[in-house]
Amino acid sequence: MPQLFAKPVDFPSAVQRRFDFNLEALRGLAALVVVWHHVIVHSRQLDPNYAPTGIGAYNAPGHFAVLIFFLLSGFVIGRRYPEPMQRSEVRSYVRKRFERLYPMYVVALFAGVAASGFTVGWASIGQHLLFLQGWWSPVLVENNPLWSLQYEIIFYLAFIPLSLIRARPWLITLLATLVGIGLLLSGYGGFALRWSS
């Protein structure tokens, strides 16, 4: 009987841990959705003579794709720390998250400042450097996807105590759902979306 599916490639376990094709495919798809969303929302800004038409003008769900990125971050961190974190691991965890995110974030921030013609005030730059954009100052219009990074930081920091106290996933899910519903009902649910649009 002919084989219907290709035989899976056997990777050494170290390589398999480092690279997950399914995860990276989902990340790539989410990234393309975010890029396409920005092409539609900001059409004619790079080229005033071009705007997608027909099916190409479909506004992809960019914010939903960002939520996918948040979920993937949680998945990756949970896979990296399947057991509750030990106090001795906290410093290494924070350093790795910082090295992974902050240098590129600073480059993106100052690229946005340059794109603004250096019209952004130092107070706003400082607030962005501390991930306070959207709360204390508007997100830099020239690089508005920066709104999402403060939420990534909140997640990274929240993981530490939740892991240390061995919080139950179902309880965290329930609490996060209740907080989300509470924010939505109180009118704060669209807070991030106001600054990111």
Side-chain angles (χ1 to χ4, degrees), residues 25-185:
L26 188 53
R27 277 182 172 163
L29 179 61
L32 289 173
V33 169
V34 170
V35 168
W36 193 252
H37 170 75
H38 285 98
V39 166
I40 299 303
V41 169
H42 303 289
S43 67
R44 299 192 186 274
Q45 285 188 348
L46 288 176
D47 183 352
N49 299 315
Y50 173 76
T53 58
I55 195 166
Y58 169 70
N59 188 1
H63 288 296
F64 178 74
V66 172
L67 295 178
I68 297 291
F69 278 118
F70 289 161
L71 290 172
L72 292 176
S73 289
F75 173 76
V76 169
I77 294 296
R79 209 164 89 169
R80 172 65 182 89
Y81 294 92
E83 299 298 322
M85 188 182 293
Q86 303 299 314
R87 290 185 186 277
S88 59
E89 295 177 287
V90 171
R91 175 178 275 177
S92 170
Y93 169 84
V94 171
R95 181 182 51 79
K96 286 177 182 176
R97 304 286 80 74
F98 179 86
E99 289 173 353
R100 177 184 173 275
L101 183 67
Y102 203 71
M104 201 63 208
Y105 171 75
V106 171
V107 169
L109 171 61
F110 283 102
V113 170
S116 77
F118 299 96
T119 59
V120 179
W122 284 108
S124 179
I125 293 171
Q127 289 163 357
H128 277 75
L129 289 171
L130 296 173
F131 296 103
L132 297 174
Q133 68 272 20
W135 292 336
W136 301 107
S137 69
V139 177
L140 191 64
V141 173
E142 288 76 13
N143 196 351
N144 67 0
L146 294 178
W147 72 267
S148 65
L149 274 295
Q150 70 196 83
Y151 294 99
E152 192 87 3
I153 292 300
I154 289 170
F155 166 77
Y156 285 152
L157 294 177
F159 180 78
I160 297 169
L162 293 175
S163 183
L164 288 173
I165 66 170
R166 302 168 189 254
R168 300 275 187 234
W170 68 266
L171 180 60
I172 299 306
T173 302
L174 177 64
L175 290 174
T177 302
L178 292 175
V179 168
I181 291 170
L183 288 172
L184 187 63
L185 293 176

